[in-house]
Amino acid sequence: MFSYYVKLAYLSCKRTWGMTLLMVCAIGLGIGASMTTITVNYLMSANPIPHKSEQLFYVQMDSWEPNNTYDDNGDAPTQLTYRDATYLWQAQKAKRQSIQSGMAAVIEPADKEVLPFMVQGRANSADFFPMFDVPFLYGSGWDHQADLKKERVIVINAELNERLFGGKDSTGQTVRMAGEDYKVTGVIDRWNPKPRFYDTSTGSFNDVEDVFVPFSLITEQKFGRSGNTNCWKPTESGFQAFLDSECIWVQLWVELPTAQDKDAYFSFMNAYAKEQHQYGRFARTDNNKLRDVMQWLEYAEVVSDDASMMMAMSLMFLLVCLLNTVGLLLAKFLGKASEIGVRQALGASRNDLFIQHLIESGCIGLAGGLLGLILALLGLEAIKVMYGDWIRDLAQLDFTLVAMAIGLAIVSALLAGLYPTWRACQVQPSVQLKSQ
């Protein structure tokens, strides 16, 4: 029976192809606009490390000035001072902990014919790699002793390995950076989590860094720091004075597998805050935070208000398109009154007619959904052109989004067809037969 109704829908659409084309275009435009913005929002808010996002926590401690809060919401600062971060890291109270900050340096290739070039990097501790499940093409990260001994070791990404070593296994080789030689311990395979959850301070959708070195080396001033730095009171001159200052520029992540681990670590943080309060710091000892990955991304407002607003407007546009479709379907179905009357006279029940016309609405929705997918692909390409490389990985449709687009189009068409279908089923067969 279903195939019979589909055949009737095909004949009906063929007979009124102009009106059908208008409805397909209306639904297609609405689906195309809404799926373009839904895709960007969906991928912006995706979980970048779903298998352990509830075990990784971003540490926030309120070391901000006594008289004013860090932001209007009274929340704790988004980064830590060097002294607080290093104390928590050295305490080793979590299963794993990664202290980190951005850095930049100039690499001098071994080939003298190649000019030196600047790379963006991350100064982090050894646990960074197993905590965030960083995949390796060759070798591995360094160990905790390398952090403590300030060894000159380095992990590079696959692109830099291709540039410096032609893509070969470079573990054990040296990279000359900032005037010093660093021993390569590993080469990271393709890894580019979106959002870049471990550091949202310099762009949640930036590419992963080129190089990774021990955080302890950043205090040796072997290379330059990068990233955001905020201070609530002036610092004295000199780098050591900067390290001892109240400036926030360091990030700390901890891995806490169980709720008990989280509670214990939070108690440890609060005890440290109260101790600092006794020394004249930490005016707000109860304002510390431990946020897991998704909580942190929500707090950091990774999905911008502009993107959410665009999605809301596109859904309203889809609603307008569906209202137009309702009018067109109503005209189309009421125009078939004589045909409906004949079918009723031949024994078709209102239930049969209702299903038949809903299937016809669904077929129109399916066609509109396919057209909408094409328009969504064009819209995503336009977004790539407008916003550049940073959104390249976000402006893509995957299987889930394709299924969502088709499903949304069919459901929308079915909803739009409910009232016209109901009206069509109210046709009195005796009236229609007398009028013939």
Side-chain angles (χ1 to χ4, degrees), residues 206-436:
N206 288 351
D207 289 336
V208 166
E209 294 80 355
D210 303 303
V211 300
F212 299 81
V213 295
F215 179 83
S216 50
L217 293 178
I218 206 169
T219 62
E220 299 291 307
Q221 292 186 278
K222 299 295 183 186
F223 27 70
R225 294 183 306 105
S226 65
N228 294 334
T229 300
N230 294 298
C231 309
W232 64 267
K233 68 179 182 181
T235 62
E236 298 178 3
S237 61
F239 191 69
Q240 186 58 49
F242 173 72
L243 296 180
D244 295 336
S245 73
E246 296 295 342
C247 296
I248 54 170
W249 56 278
V250 184
Q251 300 124 30
L252 182 70
W253 283 87
V254 292
E255 182 173 344
L256 306 168
T258 67
Q260 291 77 13
D261 293 335
K262 180 186 175 184
D263 292 341
Y265 196 86
F266 197 61
S267 298
F268 162 66
M269 288 171 56
N270 289 334
Y272 172 73
K274 290 177 181 176
E275 181 181 276
Q276 292 301 304
H277 180 69
Q278 294 174 356
Y279 296 147
R281 301 178 65 224
F282 284 70
R284 292 167 286 276
T285 58
D286 57 348
N287 199 30
N288 307 313
K289 294 289 187 299
L290 271 178
R291 289 185 164 100
D292 66 25
V293 173
M294 296 309 292
Q295 290 170 338
W296 169 243
L297 293 179
E298 182 179 356
Y299 172 76
E301 297 182 343
V302 169
V303 181
S304 67
D305 292 340
D306 289 347
S308 300
M309 182 65 71
M310 287 176 63
M311 186 176 72
M313 292 177 66
S314 66
L315 290 174
M316 291 176 65
F317 178 68
L318 174 61
L319 181 61
V320 172
C321 293
L322 291 179
L323 290 175
N324 286 322
T325 304
V326 170
L328 291 169
L329 279 174
L330 190 60
K332 178 182 173 70
F333 289 169
L334 292 181
K336 297 166 59 179
S338 58
E339 177 187 330
I340 293 171
V342 171
R343 289 209 62 214
Q344 285 182 310
L346 292 176
S349 65
R350 287 186 174 179
N351 188 46
D352 293 335
L353 292 168
F354 194 84
I355 294 174
Q356 174 196 334
H357 288 86
L358 272 188
I359 289 176
E360 184 172 342
S361 301
C363 291
I364 293 171
L366 176 61
L370 294 175
L371 176 62
L373 279 177
I374 296 173
L375 296 176
L377 288 172
L378 294 175
L380 293 174
E381 289 300 319
I383 286 178
K384 290 178 188 176
V385 173
M386 290 172 59
Y387 291 96
D389 291 341
W390 73 271
I391 205 168
R392 181 183 62 249
D393 295 333
L394 297 177
Q396 294 181 353
L397 286 172
D398 58 17
F399 176 78
T400 302
L401 291 167
V402 170
M404 183 187 297
I406 298 296
L408 180 62
I410 293 176
V411 171
S412 299
L414 291 176
L415 292 174
L418 281 177
Y419 177 68
T421 300
W422 177 80
R423 283 290 305 275
C425 293
Q426 304 307 308
V427 170
Q428 295 297 322
S430 57
V431 175
Q432 295 301 321
L433 291 176
K434 287 179 181 177
S435 64
Q436 298 301 311

Side-chain angles (χ1 to χ4, degrees), residues 28-42:
L29 285 172
I31 294 296
S34 56
M35 285 308 301
T36 300
T37 55
I38 287 174
T39 298
V40 174
N41 275 269
Y42 170 76

